[in-house]
Amino acid sequence: MATMKDVARLAQVSTSTVSHVFNQSRFVSEDIEKRVKQAATDLNYAPSALARSLKMKCTKTVGMLVTTSTNPFFGEVLKGVERRCYEKGYNLILCNTEGDSERMKASIDTLLQKRVDGLMLMCSTLEGEKIEIFERYPELPVVVMDWGPMAYASDKIQDNSYKGGYLATQYLIDNGHTNIGCITGPLHRNQASSRFNGFIQALQDAKIDVNNDWIIEGNFECDGGYDAYQTLKTNGTLPTALFVCNDMMAMGLINAATEDGLTIPSDLSVIGYDDIHLAKYITPSLTTIHQPKHQLGKTAVDTLLARLEKPQAPQQVIQLEPTLVIRHSVIAQG
């Protein structure tokens, strides 16, 4: 296996010059740079990432912890993260916590052993968990995506879930609905409670009574929406419209309602949340609240890299704004 000395000998330069070419640590003339890179190609030489990281005190690698789900939302955010890492010349190590706090801590240990330059966390199922390892490494740059209040200092990227819940409910009201229900996510999670609070506020502002029989707590998965419809039926009369707090549950609910003989939206209007890629391809196409998922991933990477450049800068909370996407699953009442 070729070494740096072999490349230097063939290119007729010093080993330090070879190092400067590959680490971009000092200006090297274009002619010499070409000779060094040609010699490396001829010798099939690959620079040592470990040696470079020890010398430069960075690995150009970041870690990301995520709880996987059947929800394509996470994959769409990850696509934004991966693209931005590639554009910025960083490698990404992805770890799945599977919603387990012990696995999360083990994954963080592994990433620290790999000498990652910083971490991104998108594990809202572990919201509220105390993670002692961050207290032991206070200098580790961390960006958290869509969690509630942090027990430790970190930059944070979040969507304005309260506004999104309000927008969704207001759209139903604007279409003449007054019998409106809500399928929430797990209400111990910040996103779910914020969307639900936006729903409640929109009803109150319109002086519409809240019917507790039409409020069902779901799990942000398709089966949660399916089961929520069965519970609504058991509770008695159905509302004319539902705000379902993510698209996956909305699709599960539409499936259950259709099996029961209802037509969406003439019998039941449904609005979702997230605007996942599949939302426009179901029948009827789903009116929903758009989250800028690619932007969320991109912003998380940019925020982490900015923290690496300026470790002492004030912590940031960056809020991305939701927007309404009108399709065909809501009909005007009356």
Side-chain angles (χ1 to χ4, degrees):
M1 182 179 291
T3 66
M4 189 180 292
K5 287 184 180 179
D6 297 326
V7 174
R9 190 179 303 113
L10 182 59
Q12 297 182 321
V13 297
S14 67
T15 53
S16 63
T17 297
V18 175
S19 175
H20 290 315
V21 168
F22 287 109
N23 292 321
Q24 297 181 325
S25 50
R26 198 188 71 184
F27 173 76
V28 176
S29 71
E30 185 177 344
D31 177 62
I32 290 177
E33 183 178 351
K34 285 183 179 178
R35 279 164 45 196
V36 169
K37 289 185 175 179
Q38 186 59 54
T41 300
D42 293 344
L43 295 170
N44 199 27
Y45 169 76
S48 167
L50 176 60
R52 184 188 304 159
S53 68
L54 292 172
K55 185 177 183 64
M56 304 297 290
K57 296 184 179 179
C58 73
T59 61
K60 301 285 283 187
T61 300
V62 294
M64 183 169 183
L65 295 168
V66 61
T67 297
T68 57
S69 164
T70 57
N71 192 344
F73 169 84
F74 295 100
E76 293 176 35
V77 173
L78 284 174
K79 187 175 180 181
V81 170
E82 290 175 326
R83 167 56 59 178
R84 194 57 170 172
C85 285
Y86 172 76
E87 291 171 351
K88 291 293 187 178
Y90 273 75
N91 297 307
L92 176 67
I93 301 177
L94 185 64
C95 295
N96 172 25
T97 68
E98 294 188 346
D100 184 312
S101 59
E102 290 305 313
R103 180 162 178 176
M104 179 180 189
K105 293 168 188 174
S107 295
I108 292 171
D109 276 327
T110 298
L111 290 169
L112 291 176
Q113 291 168 19
K114 299 287 186 183
R115 298 173 61 90
V116 295
D117 298 331
L119 289 178
M120 290 169 284
L121 308 182
M122 192 167 64
C123 312
S124 57
T125 53
L126 297 173
E127 184 179 318
E129 292 275 354
K130 183 176 174 64
I131 306 171
E132 295 85 355
I133 196 165
F134 291 132
E135 297 173 0
R136 300 205 307 270
Y137 297 93
E139 73 286 355
L140 179 69
V142 176
V143 173
V144 174
M145 304 158 76
D146 281 326
W147 279 18
M150 295 290 101
Y152 50 88
S154 69
D155 294 303
K156 184 175 179 183
I157 317 295
Q158 63 184 16
D159 81 301
N160 191 342
S161 287
Y162 177 87
K163 179 181 177 181
Y166 194 100
L167 279 174
T169 311
Q170 187 61 53
Y171 182 70
L172 297 176
I173 294 168
D174 289 344
N175 276 274
H177 293 277
T178 55
N179 297 326
I180 304 173
C182 182
I183 311 303
T184 78
L187 289 174
H188 67 278
R189 287 165 58 177
N190 184 63
Q191 277 185 324
S193 62
S194 294
R195 291 173 194 179
F196 178 61
N197 289 337
F199 163 79
I200 293 294
Q201 188 62 56
L203 291 185
Q204 290 177 347
D205 289 350
K207 296 181 169 50
I208 296 173
D209 292 335
V210 178
N211 186 331
N212 289 322
D213 287 340
W214 295 339
I215 297 172
I216 310 295
E217 185 172 355
N219 62 359
F220 278 153
E221 302 290 347
C222 283
D223 61 352
Y226 190 96
D227 293 343
Y229 176 80
Q230 312 302 335
T231 303
L232 281 172
K233 271 193 66 178
T234 302
N235 287 350
T237 305
L238 293 173
T240 64
L242 282 169
F243 167 39
V244 186
C245 288
N246 81 341
D247 291 347
M248 294 292 281
M249 291 194 300
M251 289 191 284
L253 183 136
I254 288 172
N255 180 255
T258 302
E259 285 182 358
D260 198 38
L262 271 62
T263 301
I264 309 296
S266 57
D267 295 324
L268 178 66
S269 288
V270 177
I271 186 168
Y273 201 111
D274 283 341
D275 191 27
I276 61 175
H277 185 67
L278 293 173
K280 60 184 173 183
Y281 296 112
I282 67 169
T283 302
S285 58
L286 185 64
T287 295
T288 187
I289 300 297
H290 173 77
Q291 282 207 76
K293 297 169 287 298
H294 188 275
Q295 183 67 27
L296 173 61
K298 174 182 178 296
T299 302
V301 175
D302 288 346
T303 303
L304 183 59
L305 299 190
R307 174 62 52 195
L308 291 172
E309 286 189 12
K310 297 182 178 179
Q312 303 307 317
Q315 303 293 335
Q316 297 186 77
V317 177
I318 299 171
Q319 188 159 265
L320 303 180
E321 298 298 327
T323 53
L324 174 67
V325 178
I326 299 172
R327 296 196 180 103
H328 300 111
S329 61
V330 173
I331 194 170
Q333 183 76 356

